[in-house]
Amino acid sequence: MHNALTPVLNQLNKVVLGKSHQVKLSVACLLAKGHLLIEDLPGMGKTTLGQAIARVFGLEFQRIQFTSDILPADIIGANIYDKNDSQFKFHAGPIFSQLILGDEINRATPKAQSALLEAMEEGQVTVEGETFPLPDPFFVIATQNPSHQVGTYPLPESQLDRFLFRLELGYPDPSFERVLLKGQSGRQNLHEIEPLLDLEKLAEIQSTVTKITVSEHLLNYVIGLIKATRQSPDFEHGLSPRGGLALIAAAKAWAFLDGRDYVLPEDIQQIFIPTAAHRLEFSQKGSGSVHQLVDELLEQVKVPS
């Protein structure tokens, strides 16, 4: 079944040039029913990646541009009085779509950011005591600019924890940048992308991913990594149980993309940094970068024999 995703990855790699690893992580995130946070400078292709994923999977797509004056009602919707029926009716906001691209999420105030919390965790929103289910699948790709940029509000830990992965696209390789400078940008290939999987097939794949085997041997390895984050003096606190579940879900999706129905230690290692780094906070003793410290943990914790 994983062969159905080969043309999907090929299409996406034609649009987001030279970022095959990040593209694969993005697809794994969708297969694991997670949400994706992309942090990078403007102009790196974050929005293009989100649009390409929506097209190739045939998902209903809405883009929400987060600004400092956006309100929760602008995202979720609101009850508006209908004078013809003499009653209030709920008018759904842009969040009622299968793929949401939340552009520059950290430019919005914490109040607006929190509007996504229930949606991302529960797959529903509540307005004035009434609950409304969101579409299935429901996939949020949020982009944020680096926190040192003017006009940004750092995402709180509770919001960061809702994202399965946080990744960076980074500058393109010189060979791919040459292609871009010649005017042959991957974005120009967006209009050529056609849906390659229907919703029924996607749901079947997502269900299959949950059944990927994780041996006791691998569970011991994951527990060892989690324990190491909790004991490290570099971090204020270690991974939570939810973080551990995220590691397992992500590793299953990565194993599926590699054509296996079981998880290997290498799968854990491939997804560990994008899954764990944004869930860890520096202690006062911490030095270096979070990615560097998490990478060191991977080297320190041996696979159980």
Side-chain angles (χ1 to χ4, degrees):
M1 189 182 295
H2 77 282
N3 291 331
L5 291 169
T6 300
V8 168
L9 294 172
N10 290 338
Q11 286 271 42
L12 293 174
N13 284 320
K14 291 179 182 178
V15 175
V16 185
L17 303 178
K19 301 297 176 183
S20 58
H21 184 70
Q22 290 91 331
V23 165
K24 187 176 178 181
L25 282 170
S26 303
V27 172
C29 191
L30 174 58
L31 299 187
K33 295 186 177 182
H35 302 290
L36 177 65
L37 179 63
I38 307 176
E39 181 180 71
D40 221 322
L41 296 168
M44 293 294 186
K46 304 185 294 293
T47 302
T48 300
L49 175 60
Q51 292 173 326
I53 290 174
R55 291 197 182 195
V56 79
F57 283 99
L59 302 177
E60 295 175 1
F61 174 81
Q62 284 281 358
R63 175 179 176 178
I64 304 173
Q65 182 63 53
F66 282 81
T67 58
S68 59
D69 59 350
I70 195 171
L71 299 173
D74 297 327
I75 301 168
I76 296 173
N79 285 319
I80 300 176
Y81 186 74
D82 188 334
K83 62 181 181 181
N84 294 325
D85 295 336
S86 299
Q87 62 180 353
F88 284 90
K89 289 186 177 179
F90 178 66
H91 288 248
I95 202 168
F96 285 85
S97 196
Q98 293 167 334
L99 192 152
I100 303 297
L101 178 62
D103 236 350
E104 298 185 308
I105 186 175
N106 60 337
R107 291 204 179 276
T109 62
K111 184 176 182 180
Q113 292 173 5
S114 66
L116 284 176
L117 277 175
E118 181 186 12
M120 293 171 66
E121 185 66 17
E122 305 293 340
Q124 64 183 30
V125 296
T126 302
V127 179
E128 296 182 12
E130 186 174 0
T131 299
F132 301 91
L134 293 168
D136 185 23
F138 178 68
F139 184 36
V140 173
I141 299 178
T143 73
Q144 69 171 358
N145 297 327
S147 58
H148 65 266
Q149 290 202 335
V150 175
T152 58
Y153 298 84
L155 295 179
E157 289 82 357
S158 58
Q159 181 79 61
L160 286 171
D161 200 38
R162 263 62 177 186
F163 291 100
L164 181 63
F165 290 151
R166 181 179 68 179
L167 56 87
E168 300 174 0
L169 295 181
Y171 293 115
D173 182 90
S175 60
F176 291 104
E177 191 154 22
R178 178 181 294 273
V179 174
L180 296 176
L181 293 175
K182 285 183 176 180
Q184 303 167 356
S185 69
R187 187 175 182 83
Q188 294 177 350
N189 297 325
L190 262 178
H191 69 279
E192 299 178 2
I193 291 184
E194 297 181 357
L196 297 179
L197 289 179
D198 57 28
L199 295 182
E200 183 178 350
K201 186 68 172 179
L202 175 58
E204 183 182 354
I205 291 175
Q206 288 177 326
S207 176
T208 301
V209 166
T210 64
K211 300 171 185 174
I212 298 289
T213 301
V214 181
S215 67
E216 291 294 326
H217 179 74
L218 260 295
L219 283 178
N220 290 337
Y221 182 43
V222 173
I223 290 171
L225 288 169
I226 294 172
K227 184 178 179 181
T229 66
R230 295 172 181 173
Q231 294 179 340
S232 172
D234 294 319
F235 302 120
E236 192 69 33
H237 51 75
L239 287 176
S240 67
R242 180 188 286 164
L245 291 171
L247 286 174
I248 295 296
K252 287 182 176 181
W254 193 267
F256 179 86
L257 287 173
D258 278 352
R260 285 178 276 102
D261 60 359
Y262 55 91
V263 175
L264 293 175
E266 289 81 359
D267 301 319
I268 302 292
Q269 293 159 2
Q270 287 288 340
I271 57 86
F272 188 68
I273 290 179
T275 308
H278 63 288
R279 292 179 162 90
L280 298 171
E281 182 182 353
F282 272 132
S283 68
Q284 292 182 349
K285 299 178 181 179
S287 60
S289 70
V290 173
H291 281 202
Q292 178 184 347
L293 294 173
V294 174
D295 198 35
E296 289 175 1
L297 284 180
L298 278 176
E299 295 180 2
Q300 294 168 8
V301 179
K302 304 302 181 184
V303 179
S305 56

